[in-house]
Amino acid sequence: MEQNVIDASGLLAISTRLQRLSDQIRKDGLLIYKAFGIDFQPKWFPVLYTLYKKSTMSVVSLSDEIGYAHPSTISLLKELEKEKLIRSKKDKVDTRKRLVELTEKGTALLATMEPVWEVIIKATADITNTQNNLMKAINEVEATLKEKSFLQRAEVYFRK
Amino acid sequence: MEQNVIDASGLLAISTRLQRLSDQIRKDGLLIYKAFGIDFQPKWFPVLYTLYKKSTMSVVSLSDEIGYAHPSTISLLKELEKEKLIRSKKDKVDTRKRLVELTEKGTALLATMEPVWEVIIKATADITNTQNNLMKAINEVEATLKEKSFLQRAEVYFRK
DNA sequence: GCAATATATGTAGTTAACTACATATATTTG
DNA sequence: CAAATATATGTAGTTAACTACATATATTGC
């Protein structure tokens, strides 16, 4: 059981570790879509999946839903528009808003992806089905952080 | 218990979730160092901490240790050299190698950081001390992935 | 002991998120 | 109802990692 210095530093490097794992999973995700012959980038997933489930949304509500800053969403939408997977129109009631939806091509693509998602879900269940479940741990940590931020918690120990 | 579409997609979005959490923790980390009046960026942590523990290392072995691609390490080292926190010299045995070590300033900085780490360790223990322990979950998942990659696992379900 | 291969370092350019700022429209308030 | 404030979208520039490629030195194998 060799261990590197960063692992040994335990909790200190948690952010680094999370990022590394995220990266690894994303890259494998790309390979899986390729293996299925589907022209799809994992980074598109949050936007497309949300539109698939909610049909029409404004830019900001979409950003909130997927947890991205709105400029990130805008640049994804530009890319998806170029791919003709989504389109948008003005909201007639609130003209500030731009309403985004899947095109027929987009809907069709997502339909072909459903079986791939099933495979991904199974493979991910596979890897997270350990003593401490990663998805559950993330959910729990995010809930804990919502209650009281990391900084606020640190401040308590700081004063002691 | 409101839930957004991405959360509801469960395992599919795991990479996105990991990244978001990593970012949040990193930002709070930066605030904590600031609160302690320490001029330090969380991204420096892996390199500096490893040098603190191992004294002298080559660029590639350092990269392996912290799990980064070597160009990432090189650019961190450049930055740290500008800050006069590290220095480097040629290996006399293998002249390809550049040996990196902390300067006195670097060592001094890290010494002042030890109490901050304690606070960070406590605060992180706080947030990860949930039913499913995040650090343990990460360790377990990484070990599982080392055995057999995500793609290889997906391929098994693909064939079924 | 030289040719082929492997390893170490470095540079250039990419990526996918971010923050800060700008502008247009809606909503609220005195 | 006009001024002040809030919200929605968009642009520009930054960041922190990456991959691909280039070069120099070391090691291996015939």
Side-chain angles (χ1 to χ4, degrees):
Chain A
M1 246 320 110
E2 45 155 355
Q3 220 191 357
N4 61 38
V5 174
I6 296 302
D7 282 0
S9 78
L11 301 168
L12 283 169
I14 201 166
S15 161
T16 304
R17 297 288 304 280
L18 286 168
Q19 201 177 330
R20 202 195 306 177
L21 187 55
S22 161
D23 236 55
Q24 197 176 347
I25 291 176
R26 175 186 301 265
K27 276 175 196 158
D28 275 348
L30 183 59
L31 292 176
I32 290 167
Y33 289 119
K34 266 192 190 151
F36 274 79
I38 294 177
D39 185 18
F40 182 79
Q41 295 193 42
K43 68 171 167 172
W44 295 346
F45 176 78
V47 166
L48 291 184
Y49 186 78
T50 301
L51 291 175
Y52 194 50
K53 292 297 173 190
K54 295 233 176 162
S55 27
T56 298
M57 293 189 94
S58 75
V59 175
V60 166
S61 60
L62 184 54
S63 305
D64 289 347
E65 185 75 31
I66 66 180
Y68 281 5
H70 79 271
S72 312
T73 307
I74 289 174
S75 92
L76 282 172
L77 289 174
K78 257 184 201 156
E79 207 174 311
L80 291 169
E81 200 142 31
K82 206 177 283 174
E83 300 278 339
K84 297 197 196 308
L85 296 171
I86 61 125
R87 68 171 151 249
S88 50
K89 57 188 181 199
K90 269 245 168 315
D91 184 328
K92 278 165 194 162
V93 181
D94 184 339
T95 67
R96 292 171 306 177
K97 286 186 183 166
R98 173 181 153 201
L99 298 177
V100 185
E101 62 185 8
L102 292 179
T103 58
E104 292 64 36
K105 186 184 169 191
T107 312
L109 175 66
L110 289 225
T112 69
M113 290 175 59
E114 295 228 352
V116 186
W117 292 340
E118 272 173 45
V119 166
I120 292 181
I121 285 172
K122 280 181 192 155
T124 317
D126 235 35
I127 62 166
T128 58
N129 184 24
T130 48
Q131 207 166 353
N132 294 271
N133 182 291
L134 181 63
M135 268 317 275
K136 285 183 187 161
I138 294 176
N139 281 328
E140 288 166 4
V141 168
E142 288 201 337
T144 307
L145 282 176
K146 219 173 243 173
E147 254 174 47
K148 198 168 149 193
S149 79
F150 194 80
L151 178 59
Q152 287 173 319
R153 284 164 203 276
E155 275 166 351
V156 173
Y157 295 113
F158 180 29
R159 288 202 202 89
K160 277 175 192 163
Chain B
M1 246 316 111
E2 47 157 355
Q3 220 192 358
N4 61 39
V5 174
I6 296 302
D7 282 0
S9 78
L11 302 168
L12 284 167
I14 200 166
S15 161
T16 304
R17 297 288 305 281
L18 285 168
Q19 202 176 330
R20 202 194 306 176
L21 187 55
S22 162
D23 236 55
Q24 197 176 346
I25 291 175
R26 176 187 300 265
K27 277 176 197 157
D28 275 348
L30 182 59
L31 292 175
I32 290 167
Y33 290 118
K34 265 194 192 152
F36 274 79
I38 294 177
D39 186 20
F40 182 79
Q41 296 193 42
K43 68 171 166 171
W44 294 347
F45 176 77
V47 166
L48 290 183
Y49 186 78
T50 302
L51 291 175
Y52 194 49
K53 293 296 173 191
K54 296 234 177 161
S55 24
T56 298
M57 294 189 93
S58 75
V59 174
V60 165
S61 61
L62 184 52
S63 306
D64 289 347
E65 185 75 29
I66 66 181
Y68 283 5
H70 79 272
S72 312
T73 306
I74 289 174
S75 91
L76 282 171
L77 289 173
K78 258 185 201 155
E79 206 174 312
L80 292 168
E81 200 141 32
K82 206 177 283 174
E83 301 278 339
K84 296 196 195 311
L85 295 171
I86 63 125
R87 69 172 150 247
S88 50
K89 57 188 180 199
K90 270 246 167 316
D91 184 327
K92 278 164 195 164
V93 182
D94 184 340
T95 67
R96 292 172 305 178
K97 286 187 184 166
R98 174 182 152 201
L99 298 176
V100 184
E101 63 186 5
L102 293 179
T103 59
E104 292 64 36
K105 187 185 168 190
T107 312
L109 175 67
L110 289 225
T112 70
M113 290 176 59
E114 294 228 352
V116 186
W117 292 340
E118 271 174 45
V119 166
I120 292 180
I121 285 171
K122 279 181 192 155
T124 317
D126 234 36
I127 62 167
T128 57
N129 183 24
T130 48
Q131 207 167 354
N132 294 273
N133 183 290
L134 181 62
M135 268 316 276
K136 285 183 186 161
I138 294 176
N139 281 329
E140 289 166 5
V141 169
E142 289 200 336
T144 307
L145 282 175
K146 219 172 243 174
E147 254 174 48
K148 198 169 148 191
S149 80
F150 194 79
L151 179 59
Q152 287 173 318
R153 284 163 204 278
E155 275 166 350
V156 173
Y157 295 114
F158 180 29
R159 290 204 201 90
K160 278 176 193 163

